[in-house]
Amino acid sequence: MPINIILAGPRGKMGKEAIQMIENESDFNLAAVIDHKNEGKLLKDIVEDSAANIPVYTNPDTCFKEIEADVFIDLTTPESGYMHTKLAIANNLRAVIGTSGFTEEKISELKELADEKKLGCIIAPNFAIGAVLMMKFSKMAAAYFPDVEIIEMHHDQKVDAPSGTAIKTAEMIRNNRRSKQQGHPNETSNLEGARGAELDGMHIHSIRLPGLVAHQEVIFGGPGQVLSIKHDSMNRDSFMQGIQTSVYKVMEMDSLVYGLENIL
Ligand code: NAP
């Protein structure tokens, strides 16, 4: 029996890659897509590379009620992604959420809803396996190097900053690092924002430029040495292996997990 999937965000950069991934995986079947435009059309009418006669829904609740599916994948925006996920769980669908920018409160709320229904769900700000390793190595290094800054770089169409990956990395570092306010105690900024965002005394810097995809460098400084841990996603194909693995995993899980590192 194939795993029937509903995908939100089919016209987006990630959504288009995900359609290819689903079409190439013989155990997956794309049952419907959710788009906030194009009600009543078919996937082939809205995505150039697809010949599929798959229905497009603008109303997620109608889609979840009318289409029999196992897994919901969201690759949209933080506001709609959160609303879609809440509705998917209410309609007993497992979820694989790639959309980034959910607050800690929203993730906790979704976890409570999914766990109550014993539904397997994964929310991951980064589905690239190399990025997950970068976060794990950074957490290891944090035990020895409490002084650290994160530089994340993305394409200029990204709406949230800092990236979900940068926040997740800082959270993982925080769990393994002696709490510390970094830099000079009397430091000032001559231009607002010069030192970036702050989490537990760590600084996070966000760069947005055309040409970039998703990149992050975690730089640790210690007496007489600097350690840099860097990951680059050269294209969106880098995220698809993680999404594919997660679809299989949620079918066996009975709670919501945040972060790909927790299921690998
Ligand atoms: P994108 O190209 O801007 O695509 C987003 C798509 O969502 C657009 O087609 C947009 O339609 C659509 N959309 C907006 N509101 C919607 C709604 N209410 N219902 C259905 N569709 C809606 O962005 P992207 O690069 O594909 O990224 C999508 C998300 O994935 C972002 O949150 C990004 O940060 C995240 N991301 C995650 C990973 C990961 O590994 N977890 C990797 C890369 C990106 P319009 O064009 O009409 O607005």
Side-chain angles (χ1 to χ4, degrees):
M1 282 283 281
I3 298 175
N4 286 308
I5 297 172
I6 295 173
L7 168 79
R11 286 178 297 108
K13 295 179 281 296
M14 286 288 284
K16 281 185 199 152
E17 283 288 342
I19 291 169
Q20 295 288 317
M21 181 277 287
I22 295 167
E23 286 178 350
N24 291 336
E25 185 67 10
S26 57
D27 291 335
F28 291 177
N29 173 51
L30 186 59
V33 296
I34 297 171
D35 189 354
H36 61 148
K37 301 168 185 164
N38 300 306
E39 177 68 32
K41 290 197 177 167
L42 297 172
L43 185 61
K44 66 180 181 188
D45 304 325
I46 64 165
V47 174
E48 239 175 55
D49 303 338
S50 179
N53 286 315
I54 289 161
V56 179
Y57 284 82
T58 50
N59 185 324
D61 200 35
T62 310
C63 179
F64 296 142
K65 290 199 160 62
E66 285 186 4
I67 300 289
E68 226 174 276
D70 306 291
V71 177
F72 167 64
I73 300 177
D74 196 277
L75 297 163
T76 62
T77 61
E79 301 73 30
S80 57
Y82 164 72
M83 185 262 287
H84 293 161
T85 310
K86 219 171 152 176
L87 281 170
I89 294 170
N91 284 282
N92 299 312
L93 260 91
R94 295 171 159 82
V96 173
I97 308 304
T99 301
S100 61
F102 290 5
T103 60
E104 266 183 59
E105 294 75 45
K106 286 191 168 149
I107 293 167
S108 302
E109 187 194 336
L110 293 171
K111 177 162 176 57
E112 215 168 281
L113 294 171
D115 291 4
E116 205 173 284
K117 290 204 156 199
K118 297 201 181 316
L119 284 172
C121 293
I122 295 169
I123 300 176
N126 203 319
F127 277 109
I129 311 280
V132 170
L133 291 174
M134 167 194 61
M135 290 189 248
K136 284 199 170 193
F137 297 153
S138 299
K139 182 178 174 180
M140 278 170 69
Y144 308 97
F145 293 93
D147 290 274
V148 51
E149 304 226 354
I150 299 172
I151 302 172
E152 59 95 343
M153 304 192 287
H154 282 83
H155 57 91
D156 62 348
Q157 298 307 302
K158 185 168 175 60
V159 289
D160 55 311
S163 69
T165 304
I167 295 173
K168 176 80 183 158
T169 308
E171 287 168 354
M172 286 172 69
I173 289 174
R174 178 176 59 189
N175 293 339
N176 214 25
R177 163 185 175 268
R178 168 166 51 85
S179 190
K180 181 173 183 186
Q181 189 62 43
Q182 293 177 199
H184 195 285
N186 299 328
E187 84 179 8
T188 57
S189 293
N190 296 329
L191 280 178
E192 201 189 322
R195 296 288 288 122
E198 203 192 301
L199 195 151
D200 196 31
M202 290 173 264
H203 294 265
I204 306 176
H205 311 270
S206 298
I207 291 169
R208 297 289 176 265
L209 284 172
L212 293 169
V213 179
H215 317 259
Q216 181 168 290
E217 187 168 9
V218 186
I219 308 173
F220 295 90
Q225 56 184 320
V226 169
L227 170 66
S228 296
I229 302 172
K230 189 166 187 285
H231 177 260
D232 296 283
S233 276
M234 313 310 264
N235 58 50
R236 287 169 184 82
D237 202 19
S238 61
F239 306 115
M240 294 305 136
Q241 191 192 349
I243 294 183
Q244 188 187 81
T245 304
S246 298
V247 170
Y248 285 114
K249 285 274 183 186
V250 289
M251 293 299 291
E252 300 159 2
M253 290 163 43
D254 60 4
S255 68
L256 186 147
V257 163
Y258 175 57
L260 188 64
E261 68 282 3
N262 294 313
I263 61 148
L264 290 178

